[in-house]
Amino acid sequence: MQKFKLFILVLATFFFSHLCGAKTLDQTAEQYVKLVLALGEHDSGYVDAYYGPDEWAEEARAKKMPIDLIISEAEVLRSELPKMTPDTELMQRLREYYLDQQLVALVAHAKNLSGVEKLDFDAQSRDLYDTEAPHHKLSDFDPLIAELDKMLPGEGSMESRIEAFKKQFEIPKNKLNAVFDRAIEECRNRTKAHIPLLDNENFTLEYVTDKPWSGYNWYKGNAFSLIQVNTEFPIDISRAVDLGCHEGYPGHHTYNALLEDNLVKKRGWVEFSVYPLFSPQSLIAEGSANYGIELAFPGNDKAEFEKNVLFPIAGIDPALAESFEHLGELTSKLSYASNEIARKYINGDIDKTEAVRLLQKYSFSNKDKATQRVRFFDTYGAYVINYNWGKDMIKAYVEQADDQDERWARFTKVLSSPRLPSSLDW
C-alpha cells in the first residue's frame, strides 16, 4: 500500500509539472536545493555546506521525504531541464550542465544509500564525480618503495625506519599554533597577490581529534569558514602549508567564498548555496585545493619556505630539509597506490586487514595511520580520487598556459564559475 501511494504521488508530481508548463531554471534550482537538503536527512555527511533560506532546511527536517520519492522527483526534475544549444550564453550553459550532472550524482548517491543500486569504486567515480580515475597495478609502485628503502637510514624493518625518520619532522604540539598561523598567513598573501579576496572573508581555526580526515573546511556562508585540523596523530611540518592552502588559500575557503559572491549574491543562483559532498563539485573543490598548493608555491618555493621559515619556528633542524623534500616527492608519486587499495577494498577484493597492510607498505603509514585511512574509505568511498586525479585534471587545464599570471587567471575562472570535470574546457 505504501509503494502504491508513493507511485500515485510521483505520477501526480509528474503530471502537475507538465500541466503547469516548463519550469524556469531558477525554479529548477530551488527544487534541486530542496532535494539535496531532503537527502541530507538520510545521510548526515551529505550536505557539506548550506547557507540558503532557513525555512528550506526546516522544511526538509519536517517532511523527512522518503528516498524513493527523492529519487523520482530528481529524475523528473532532470528530465525537465531545458536543452542547451551552442547559441546559449556560456555561463548559462555551464549552469544548466551543472544542475544536470549534480542531479545525476544525487540520484546515484540516493540509490546507493538506499541499497537500490550498490555502486562499485568505478561506478561511484563516474556517477558521483563525473569522471573515472586511471587504473594502476600496485606492482607499478614497487620501484618507488625500493628507492625509499635505499634512502632510509638505520637498520630494521622499513616501517620502523620510516617511523624514526618522519619523527624528526613532527611539529611539537606547543608549536602548532605558531607554525600554522605563519603557514596560513603565507598562503593567504600569495593568493591575495593574484585573486581579489573579499574584504569580509575570515575563518576560525580549531584543533580536533577522532576524525577520519586530517583537515576539514566547514563553510558557513558570508565568506566565513570553520577550519579544523585533526591532531589525533603527530603532524609533520609539510602539512602546515598543505592544509593552509588546501583548506584556506587558495583552496576551499577561497573557492566557496568566490562561488557565493559571484554566483549566489551577484547572479541569484541559489543552487550554489548548498554543497552536496558526493557530487562532481567535490572533484573541482578537492582538485583545485590540492593544485592550489603547487600554484601558490611553484618550483622550490614550498621547500625553501619550510626550510627557512617553518623549520626554525617548529625547532626542526633546517639541515634535514633536503632529505625531507625527497621523502615528500616519493610520497606524492605513490598517491595513486592509495586509490588502487581503496578500489580493491570497496569492491570487496580485499578485507580491512589487507587494506591496512597494503597502506602501510604503499603510503609510508604506520598501522594506526593506515587504519584511519581505511576509516576514510568506509566513510567516503571513491571520494579519494578527487584529491589526486582531481588535482591532475585541474593542473592539466590551468597549465595549458605557460605564464604564471595566466595560470592564476585560469585557476580563478574555475573557482568562480560552475565548472565540473567534463565542462572544464568549455
Side-chain angles (χ1 to χ4, degrees), residues 211-224:
K211 304 294 182 184
W213 36 258
S214 57
Y216 213 104
N217 178 295
W218 304 97
Y219 189 69
K220 303 298 183 180
N222 200 31
F224 179 78

Side-chain angles (χ1 to χ4, degrees), residues 315-370:
I316 298 171
D317 184 1
L320 299 171
E322 186 176 344
S323 57
F324 179 69
E325 176 65 13
H326 186 44
L327 176 69
E329 290 171 359
L330 289 175
T331 303
S332 177
K333 291 176 182 177
L334 280 167
S335 71
Y336 277 100
S338 182
N339 286 18
E340 296 308 320
I341 297 165
R343 182 183 276 112
K344 290 176 180 293
Y345 177 67
I346 289 164
N347 291 351
D349 298 329
I350 59 174
D351 61 14
K352 181 176 180 178
T353 301
E354 179 64 2
V356 168
R357 185 189 73 80
L358 289 172
L359 284 168
Q360 287 179 262
K361 176 179 179 181
Y362 287 104
S363 64
F364 306 161
S365 300
N366 61 29
K367 187 173 182 179
D368 289 340
K369 197 69 173 159

Side-chain angles (χ1 to χ4, degrees), residues 117-245:
E117 186 178 327
K118 282 297 179 184
L119 303 176
D120 66 15
F121 186 91
D122 288 333
Q124 287 183 38
S125 302
R126 291 189 300 270
D127 294 351
L128 300 180
Y129 307 118
D130 188 33
T131 187
E132 184 175 323
H135 289 239
H136 299 87
K137 296 178 181 177
L138 283 177
S139 58
D140 295 340
F141 302 99
D142 286 341
L144 293 171
I145 301 298
E147 185 178 345
L148 172 69
D149 193 26
K150 290 179 182 177
M151 76 161 275
L152 286 171
E155 297 179 354
S157 69
M158 184 181 289
E159 182 182 339
S160 64
R161 284 183 290 141
I162 289 174
E163 195 76 9
F165 183 79
K166 290 173 74 173
K167 195 167 186 62
Q168 302 173 95
F169 306 100
E170 291 175 4
I171 305 172
K173 288 205 170 182
N174 65 342
K175 303 287 182 65
L176 275 175
N177 273 326
V179 170
F180 269 91
D181 286 351
R182 182 63 186 91
I184 292 171
E185 177 189 33
E186 187 70 16
C187 296
R188 186 180 187 278
N189 288 340
R190 287 170 177 253
T191 298
K192 193 174 182 180
H194 299 277
I195 299 177
L197 299 176
L198 299 174
D199 291 339
N200 64 319
E201 65 85 14
N202 203 353
F203 67 91
T204 295
L205 180 65
E206 287 184 354
Y207 297 101
V208 297
T209 58
D210 194 27
K211 304 294 182 184
W213 36 258
S214 57
Y216 213 104
N217 178 295
W218 304 97
Y219 189 69
K220 303 298 183 180
N222 200 31
F224 179 78
S225 292
L226 168 63
I227 297 176
Q228 293 182 327
V229 174
N230 188 359
T231 59
E232 182 175 355
F233 299 107
I235 301 174
D236 76 56
I237 194 72
S238 72
R239 298 298 290 155
V241 166
D242 288 355
L243 290 171
C245 283

Side-chain angles (χ1 to χ4, degrees), residues 13 17-18 21-28 31 76-77 80 82:
T13 301
S17 65
H18 279 69
K23 291 183 177 67
T24 66
L25 210 53
D26 286 342
Q27 289 171 323
T28 299
Q31 284 190 259
V76 170
L77 193 61
E80 294 174 343

Side-chain angles (χ1 to χ4, degrees), residues 80-92:
E80 294 174 343
L81 279 168
K83 303 302 179 186
M84 295 176 291
T85 70
D87 297 329
T88 307
E89 188 258 336
L90 176 59
M91 282 294 282
Q92 198 71 10

